[in-house]
């Protein structure tokens, strides 16, 4: 369903603050896709937003109007005529495609500022452009990713901040994320699966307005273990977690064989699929919705989304980056904020 424009007086976001979009690594494609999203703001009904980072990174890849602003309120005033940028630091000399320590430091500061604005209510939510983790680690960033950093700043434990990848035809949640495949079986526990499932169900209600979410859980092993012949994780861990949630009234099924979970007819039977490891979740979503996939963090007191792709240093500065996922992330942030306001949560 298309977003109503932000000037619609019936829209609960109409008089609220703008969205903060951290530019990510200034040498990546973040500045380009944010600028292209601003160009498409009217055609797609995007809500007002402002960039957070170094305005020079926008000007390095885009000839359009950029206006440096000092406050979110200033940003809202110029959004119709220029892309507002809340300047947080000077990234130094910016060469698209060539990351630097100064650029990573700017990305870190932009993320910190954007989170603070959302927590204070000065921004309606945050959208985070991609960062280069290798560069961030060199400037003191100690978290596995932006999701974990944002969760900590919001006072939310890692188990209760859930990464959902969402597209037009599929929503998936990886139970385990950035760990080696060999470590997945020992990382799976009944409590972890329950925590992820409960946060997912509540997140679907809060951010998508789904009254009674339908969840499905993938098995870890081929054919969901074939009754223990191909592994006991389904018997000892996954099924007990699912059954305990069913007993509490959740609409959840599984474990089911992952190889038949993502075709079109199967997807009609659930609202989100919980997967046991990173690639089990991300391969189907990126196959089906590569240019529209959005990373939305569930379980936070603020709205946070991100395009489901990386910095793409190899194409930065070539005017070839597809802004589809960034535009989808901005739209989804507005939809989530609108759902929270509409349902009072």
């Amino acid at each position: 369903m298309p977003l109503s424009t932000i000037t619609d007086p019936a829209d609960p976001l109409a008089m609220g603050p703008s969205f903060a979009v951290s530019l990510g690594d200034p040498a990546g494609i973040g500045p380009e896709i944010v600028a292209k999203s601003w160009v498409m703001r009217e055609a797609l009904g995007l809500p007002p937003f402002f960039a957070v980072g170094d305005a020079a990174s926008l000007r390095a890849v885009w000839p359009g109007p950029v206006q440096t602003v000092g406050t979110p309120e200033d940003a809202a005033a110029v959004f119709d005529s220029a892309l507002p940028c809340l300047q947080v630091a000077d990234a130094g000399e910016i060469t698209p495609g060539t990351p630097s320590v100064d650029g990573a430091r700017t990305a870190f500061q932009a993320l910190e500022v954007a989170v603070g604005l959302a927590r204070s209510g000065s921004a309606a939510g945050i959208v985070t452009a991609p960062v280069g983790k290798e560069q961030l680690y060199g400037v003191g960033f100690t978290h596995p990713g932006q999701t974990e950093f944002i969760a900590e700043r919001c006072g939310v434990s890692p188990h209760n901040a859930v990464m959902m990848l969402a597209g037009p035809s599929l929503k998936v949640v990886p139970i385990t994320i950035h760990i080696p495949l060999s470590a997945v079986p020992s990382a799976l526990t009944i409590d972890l699966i329950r925590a992820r499932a409960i946060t997912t169900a509540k997140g679907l209600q809060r951010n998508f307005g789904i009254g009674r979410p339908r969840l499905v859980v993938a098995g870890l092993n081929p054919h969901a273990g074939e009754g223990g012949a191909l592994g006991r994780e389904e018997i000892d861990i996954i099924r007990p977690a699912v059954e305990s949630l069913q007993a509490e009234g959740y609409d959840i099924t599984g474990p089911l064989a992952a190889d038949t979970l993502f075709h079109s007819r199967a997807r009609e039977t659930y609202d989100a699929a919980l997967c046991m490891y990173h690639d089990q979740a991300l391969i189907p979503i990126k196959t089906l919705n590569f240019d529209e996939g959005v990373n939305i963090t569930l379980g936070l007191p603020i709205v946070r989304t991100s395009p489901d792709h990386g910095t793409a240093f190899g194409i930065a500065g070539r005017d070839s980056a597809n802004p589809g996922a960034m535009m989808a992330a901005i739209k989804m942030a507005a939809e989530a904020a609108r759902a929270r306001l509409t349902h009072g949560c």
Side-chain angles (χ1 to χ4, degrees):
M1 181 170 58
L3 287 174
S4 56
T5 64
I6 207 67
T7 56
D8 181 353
D11 187 338
L13 295 181
M15 302 305 293
S18 302
F19 289 84
V21 183
S22 62
L23 288 174
D25 194 300
I29 62 170
E32 179 182 335
I33 60 178
V34 172
K36 289 179 175 178
S37 297
W38 182 83
V39 171
M40 295 296 294
R41 66 197 184 283
E42 293 182 356
L44 295 179
L46 297 181
F49 61 88
F50 57 94
V52 182
D54 187 356
S57 67
L58 293 163
R59 298 188 177 105
V61 295
W62 184 58
V66 177
Q67 178 66 52
T68 303
V69 296
T71 69
E73 292 75 20
D74 294 339
V78 304
F79 180 73
D80 287 343
S81 58
L83 171 55
C85 182
L86 187 66
Q87 183 79 25
V88 298
D90 184 348
E93 184 176 348
I94 298 168
T95 303
T98 304
S100 67
V101 171
D102 286 341
R105 188 174 292 112
T106 298
F108 195 174
Q109 292 182 16
L111 179 61
E112 184 84 82
V113 169
V115 174
L117 291 172
R119 290 185 63 202
S120 70
S122 298
I126 62 172
V127 181
T128 58
V131 295
K133 293 178 188 175
E134 180 180 351
Q135 288 73 36
L136 279 179
Y137 294 150
V139 297
F141 190 84
T142 59
H143 297 75
Q146 294 189 95
T147 297
E148 292 83 0
F149 174 85
I150 296 166
E152 181 187 272
R153 288 297 188 267
C154 292
V156 175
S157 71
H159 280 192
N160 293 326
V162 169
M163 181 177 77
M164 170 179 281
L165 293 310
S169 60
L170 179 65
K171 296 180 180 69
V172 293
V173 169
I175 300 296
T176 63
I177 307 176
H178 298 124
I179 63 174
L181 188 58
S182 60
V184 169
S186 60
L188 292 175
T189 66
I190 293 173
D191 287 344
L192 177 61
I193 294 171
R194 281 179 48 83
R196 294 278 197 258
I198 291 170
T199 300
T200 299
K202 292 179 178 178
L204 288 169
Q205 292 172 331
R206 188 180 193 190
N207 297 288
F208 295 91
I210 300 173
R212 182 169 168 75
R214 301 166 300 162
L215 305 181
V216 66
V217 180
L220 171 66
N221 297 296
H223 306 167
E226 285 193 356
L230 299 178
R232 291 194 54 86
E233 286 82 5
E234 286 78 12
I235 295 172
D236 296 336
I237 301 171
I238 305 173
R239 183 171 296 126
V242 170
E243 290 175 348
S244 69
L245 291 164
Q246 290 172 335
E248 294 174 18
Y250 289 92
D251 187 346
I252 184 169
T253 57
L256 301 178
D259 62 353
T260 57
L261 206 54
F262 302 108
H263 62 80
S264 58
R265 293 192 306 277
R267 297 197 305 272
E268 294 174 357
T269 66
Y270 58 83
D271 297 303
L274 278 66
C275 302
M276 293 300 110
Y277 55 93
H278 182 277
D279 285 9
Q280 191 182 60
L282 271 69
I283 287 173
I285 187 72
K286 289 191 175 183
T287 299
L288 292 167
N289 304 134
F290 187 81
D291 290 325
E292 300 168 289
V294 175
N295 177 349
I296 178 169
T297 308
L298 309 180
L300 298 178
I302 63 173
V303 171
R304 182 267 175 145
T305 65
S306 178
D308 182 26
H309 59 65
T311 52
F313 290 123
I315 64 170
R318 300 181 183 179
D319 194 27
S320 61
N322 188 326
M326 175 56 76
M327 294 187 293
I330 296 170
K331 289 185 70 171
M332 188 171 291
E335 290 166 351
R338 184 174 292 116
R340 291 184 179 209
L341 289 172
T342 300
H343 298 286
C345 57

